[in-house]
Amino acid sequence: MPAVPSDEEFRTYNQGVISEFRANHGTVSRPPFPILLLTTTGARTGRQTTVPLGFGIDDRGRVFVVASKAGAPKHPSWFHNLRANPAVTVELGDGSYRARAVVTTGEERERLYRRVSDGTSAYEQNTNRVFPVVLLEGVPAPA
């Protein structure tokens, strides 16, 4: 099983991806899939924090993200933040959008998750936790 990166490794990697994303109008060389930038407000600190995330688009054109944190045993900080304050900012391509984060449950969560994973990823092998799936209401699907 691959090791889960440390919080410091996540921060260093994420900062490089964020810088490249902003310098290249939403295009990055790593990771090898499309990403967006999600900015949340800290639940305890009130500070704005931005993270790069892969995203999916459902059959109705809704953009969503999965709180996998590379299979870490705990949910990522950004997920805890948006649960406390669902008003977020999303950068996608050249656009920036105010959005509302909605945590999905039940069949909707399962349906959306199946759009991005068949249940056999290395991330899933790292943990027993169920990865939350979050809709980003107000973000248009990229063309």
Side-chain angles (χ1 to χ4, degrees):
M1 256 182 254
V4 175
S6 69
D7 286 345
E8 185 57 36
E9 290 170 321
F10 270 118
R11 276 190 291 277
T12 300
Y13 175 80
N14 286 349
Q15 194 51 54
V17 173
I18 291 165
S19 295
E20 183 181 7
F21 182 99
R22 289 179 172 155
N24 295 310
H25 311 287
T27 302
V28 295
S29 58
R30 63 186 165 97
F33 47 81
I35 65 165
L36 56 75
L37 300 184
L38 177 71
T39 301
T40 60
T41 301
R44 288 181 326 215
T45 66
R47 278 195 316 251
Q48 300 278 296
T49 305
T50 302
V51 294
L53 300 171
F55 64 92
I57 302 169
D58 77 356
D59 55 346
R60 298 189 333 213
R62 299 180 304 170
V63 175
F64 66 93
V65 293
V66 176
S68 66
K69 195 177 180 185
K74 294 181 180 177
H75 296 321
S77 298
W78 63 261
F79 178 72
H80 295 291
N81 291 343
L82 67 76
R83 286 181 61 199
N85 183 357
V88 297
T89 300
V90 175
E91 295 171 62
L92 185 56
D94 275 331
S96 180
Y97 310 92
R98 295 292 300 153
R100 182 172 171 267
V102 178
V103 179
T104 61
T105 59
E107 177 51 36
E108 182 174 41
R109 184 251 169 230
E110 294 300 317
R111 184 178 55 76
L112 293 172
Y113 190 72
R114 283 192 303 270
R115 291 186 74 90
V116 297
S117 178
D118 65 2
T120 62
S121 77
Y123 289 0
E124 290 157 306
Q125 305 311 311
N126 280 342
T127 187
N128 291 324
R129 80 178 163 85
V130 174
F131 300 147
V133 177
V134 180
L135 283 168
L136 299 171
E137 293 181 346
V139 178

